[in-house]
Structures are given as C-alpha cells and as structure tokens.
Amino acid sequence: MVYMINIGSESETIEFKKSTSELNEGIISLVAMLNKHGECTLYFGVKNNGDVIGQKDLNDNTVRDVSHRISEGVK
C-alpha cells in the first residue's frame, strides 16, 4: 500500500518545488516573498498541488550547495 502525503497548498509565503533542479526559480520566489512579507518557506520535493514526492540522491553536499546558493541569492 502506498500512502500519499499532501501538505496543503502554496500561498503568499509558501512555495513548492518538485526538486532542487528548480533551485533558481525557488530563489526568485523566496526573495519575492521575503521582500513582500518578510518571511517565507520553500519546500523541495513537493508538487504544486502539495503532494510530497521526496528527493532522490540527497546528500550533505546537496544540502550545502542549496544553502550556499540561497545565501548568495538573498542579500
């Protein structure tokens, strides 16, 4: 049996991206939300409808790279 988890919907302060391959688009959304609302949450491994699909081959280097690129994109 496969269970599907859905975490809701996107909003003005919540953004979903299917994978870290959409990092550039995620950073653009993140900066826009921060500028408008001063807060935001960006989830990777989640479809636009809120279904959690997860991430394959995620390791410490990937997490470090994502963190580094976000910190460079947010000034």
Side-chain angles (χ1 to χ4, degrees):
M1 179 176 278
V2 175
Y3 293 98
M4 183 60 74
I5 298 172
N6 185 288
I7 60 172
S9 59
E10 292 180 312
S11 70
E12 292 213 3
T13 59
I14 298 173
E15 180 76 14
F16 301 147
K17 295 297 176 196
K18 290 181 189 173
S19 74
T20 54
S21 67
E22 297 180 298
L23 181 57
N24 289 336
E25 295 87 352
I27 291 171
I28 291 167
S29 297
L30 185 116
V31 169
M33 289 184 285
L34 285 172
N35 284 334
K36 185 172 183 180
H37 301 287
E39 63 178 282
C40 64
T41 305
L42 175 61
Y43 292 97
F44 291 101
V46 181
K47 293 163 110 178
N48 286 338
N49 67 0
D51 288 343
V52 176
I53 55 176
Q55 286 276 184
K56 293 182 180 177
D57 302 325
L58 198 63
N59 59 43
D60 289 341
N61 290 333
T62 306
V63 174
R64 246 188 315 269
D65 182 48
V66 168
S67 177
H68 179 73
R69 292 195 41 211
I70 288 173
S71 69
E72 284 185 345
V74 178
K75 302 283 181 198

